[in-house]
Amino acid sequence: MSLFDRFRPMWRHSNPDVRKIAVKGLTDEEVLTRIAENDEDPFVREGAVAKLTSRATLAQIARTDQHPAVRSTAVSQLDDPALLAELAV
């Protein structure tokens, strides 16, 4: 644990297990997007993606994330047939 962890929000904690728990309590779309796009741990990103509502953000993550589980979670959140068809190509 970093000394600075005491002063950071829990979603920025150095321990990914703490960040995963913190994501469960978040509702701020902007913070969830930041986590989904930038967190180093794929399981933290996946948890954030599961809570996102922005179709554009989900589509971007489905196209670009390095981890298959994160991409899969993003795709599962989408319901637009045209977008899903585009992602399938």
Side-chain angles (χ1 to χ4, degrees), residues 39-66:
D39 197 278
E40 63 189 34
D41 187 275
F43 300 108
V44 175
R45 290 196 312 273
E46 185 179 9
V49 167
K51 297 188 77 176
L52 288 174
T53 59
S54 167
R55 290 190 328 197
T57 302
L58 288 166
Q60 182 65 23
I61 291 168
R63 287 184 191 101
T64 63
D65 197 272
Q66 299 283 331

Side-chain angles (χ1 to χ4, degrees), residues 53-60 62 73-81 83-84 87:
T53 59
S54 167
R55 290 190 328 197
T57 302
L58 288 166
Q60 182 65 23
T73 299
V75 169
S76 73
Q77 297 289 98
L78 295 168
D79 59 2
D80 179 355
L83 183 55
L84 289 170
L87 290 170

Side-chain angles (χ1 to χ4, degrees), residues 1-38:
M1 182 167 98
S2 168
L3 172 65
F4 297 109
D5 284 339
R6 294 178 186 252
F7 305 105
R8 293 180 182 156
M10 296 297 278
W11 58 269
R12 293 190 61 207
H13 198 277
S14 62
N15 183 330
D17 292 329
V18 173
R19 293 195 309 271
K20 280 189 274 188
I21 293 167
V23 164
K24 291 179 183 180
L26 292 174
T27 57
D28 184 323
E29 187 84 7
E30 186 176 321
V31 172
L32 289 166
T33 298
R34 186 182 322 166
I35 295 167
E37 292 176 341
N38 300 310

